[in-house]
Amino acid sequence: MSRPFIQIVEVGPRDGLQNEKTVLSPEVRADFVRRLEAAGARRIEAASFVHPKYVPQMAGAEEVLAALPKEAGRSRIGLVLNGRGYDRVLATSADEVNVAMSATNGFGLKNQGLSVDQQVEMLAAIVAGRANAEGEPGAAPSLSATLSCVWGCPFDGEVSADQVADLVGRIAALGVAEIALADTIGAGDPWSVTKKVEAARSTAPHAALRLHFHDTRNTGLANAYAGVEAGVTILDASVGGIGGCPFAPGATGNIATEDLVYMLERGGFDTGYDLDALIEASRWIGEKLGKPASSALSRAGRFPR
Ligand code: MG
């Protein structure tokens, strides 16, 4: 019998690197993507189309994509915060666009200058533009949305399940087929993961859910476990656990891809990754960043060897 498949979206080249002090060139970042693909990644957040004034680590997003010609079976995702970013992605070879949104007004206003209602309007305008462009040459990249601060907001505090259910429902009603719930500041626990997944399903029963966890407070893998137990089959992770949390100085980043792969494969799931190649990629990026990976697998190695 084949093992159930869990899809891991590699976010190291975007969420990881954008929270690291060391700024890497577009050339090195494209190399990073290729190494991750060689280790088994099939969906990768390759770049963020934000203004380099705000996120210098993501400068040259177009150059990263230009170094990654389209390949069958590989999907490179460009992250955007608004319509301007969306238009920039359209001019590249990116296979997917992910629109970042926030579950709270506080984070939305600080991060992209938009309240929750304004973010929904922004997403609706992007969706409408796609409908108008239908039939034009060249396949439009597929669209997903990520909702940040689902488990807590550095400005507004606790986030309720009702708040999440309402917003997820509004996003799904626009026709967005995949919605990611993100624990941006690593405030969640496994039991609240179950609750927020149930809340999202209550208003968006047909949307694919994806979960994005940060290991800021050591609950990342437990949260991933809870998500899988709740039936979610798409999880974000960053190799080496690179990145951090801008609101928790010294924190590690997303859950480490190699730690997640190890846990899932030991548990009988298939992820499509080569764990040894992944650990190698983790060490490689650690050298580029001048600090060893924080992942457990890069220190302890696999079992059995
Ligand atoms: Mg994140």
Side-chain angles (χ1 to χ4, degrees):
M1 220 179 79
S2 69
R3 296 177 297 159
F5 188 80
I6 301 289
Q7 181 187 70
I8 299 175
V9 179
E10 173 61 49
V11 300
R14 200 281 304 172
D15 204 11
L17 292 185
Q18 81 169 27
N19 287 302
E20 291 286 349
K21 280 194 192 75
T22 306
V23 176
L24 302 178
S25 68
E27 194 182 12
V28 172
R29 280 146 54 203
D31 190 8
F32 186 29
V33 169
R34 281 191 294 264
R35 283 168 190 268
L36 290 163
E37 288 178 342
R42 288 293 169 267
R43 277 181 90 191
I44 298 193
E45 273 193 353
S48 179
F49 291 78
V50 289
H51 199 290
K53 184 173 74 183
Y54 301 113
V55 190
Q57 293 93 331
M58 292 289 108
E62 281 83 357
E63 291 166 65
V64 173
L65 268 304
L68 299 167
K70 274 188 188 289
E71 271 180 67
R74 301 197 191 287
S75 194
R76 285 76 174 243
I77 307 170
L79 183 117
V80 307
L81 298 178
N82 50 42
R84 279 190 304 283
Y86 180 79
D87 290 340
R88 281 177 64 193
V89 175
L90 284 192
T92 72
S93 64
D95 304 284
E96 295 183 49
V97 189
N98 181 258
V99 181
M101 300 174 67
S102 172
T104 63
N105 284 320
F107 194 85
L109 288 166
K110 274 273 197 302
N111 196 47
Q112 53 208 111
L114 300 173
S115 68
V116 168
D117 286 344
Q118 288 169 326
Q119 291 173 59
V120 175
E121 281 168 30
M122 175 270 290
L123 181 64
I126 288 174
V127 171
R130 288 164 64 84
N132 289 338
E134 236 173 76
E136 283 179 18
S142 62
L143 184 74
S144 63
T146 291
L147 207 48
S148 63
C149 296
V150 164
W151 281 270
C153 172
F155 308 108
D156 293 359
E158 299 287 2
V159 174
S160 73
D162 287 346
Q163 227 172 316
V164 172
D166 175 63
L167 189 50
V168 167
R170 290 163 75 187
I171 295 169
L174 293 172
V176 177
E178 184 186 277
I179 302 169
L181 307 180
D183 187 7
T184 309
I185 59 169
D189 64 83
W191 297 276
S192 63
V193 168
T194 312
K195 287 190 190 106
K196 296 279 165 73
V197 167
E198 278 170 9
R201 284 216 181 101
S202 71
T203 51
H206 304 298
L209 291 183
R210 170 176 150 197
L211 299 175
H212 175 107
F213 294 119
H214 279 251
D215 205 23
T216 319
R217 295 175 178 84
N218 217 14
T219 58
L221 277 184
N223 293 343
Y225 168 79
V228 171
E229 287 293 288
V232 175
T233 58
I234 316 171
L235 295 167
D236 287 358
S238 80
V239 74
I242 62 168
C245 178
F247 305 97
T252 54
N254 300 93
I255 51 174
T257 314
E258 57 268 40
D259 292 355
L260 182 62
V261 165
Y262 173 78
M263 181 179 84
L264 291 171
E265 299 257 344
R266 282 288 281 174
F269 295 91
D270 181 18
T271 64
Y273 278 86
D274 173 339
L275 189 53
D276 293 321
L278 198 51
I279 291 171
E280 192 46 46
S282 172
R283 294 204 174 113
W284 180 85
I285 195 64
E287 277 167 28
K288 295 286 172 197
L289 293 171
K291 62 176 208 190
S294 62
S295 68
L297 264 286
S298 66
R299 294 192 301 269
R302 67 153 76 228
F303 176 87
R305 287 184 191 280

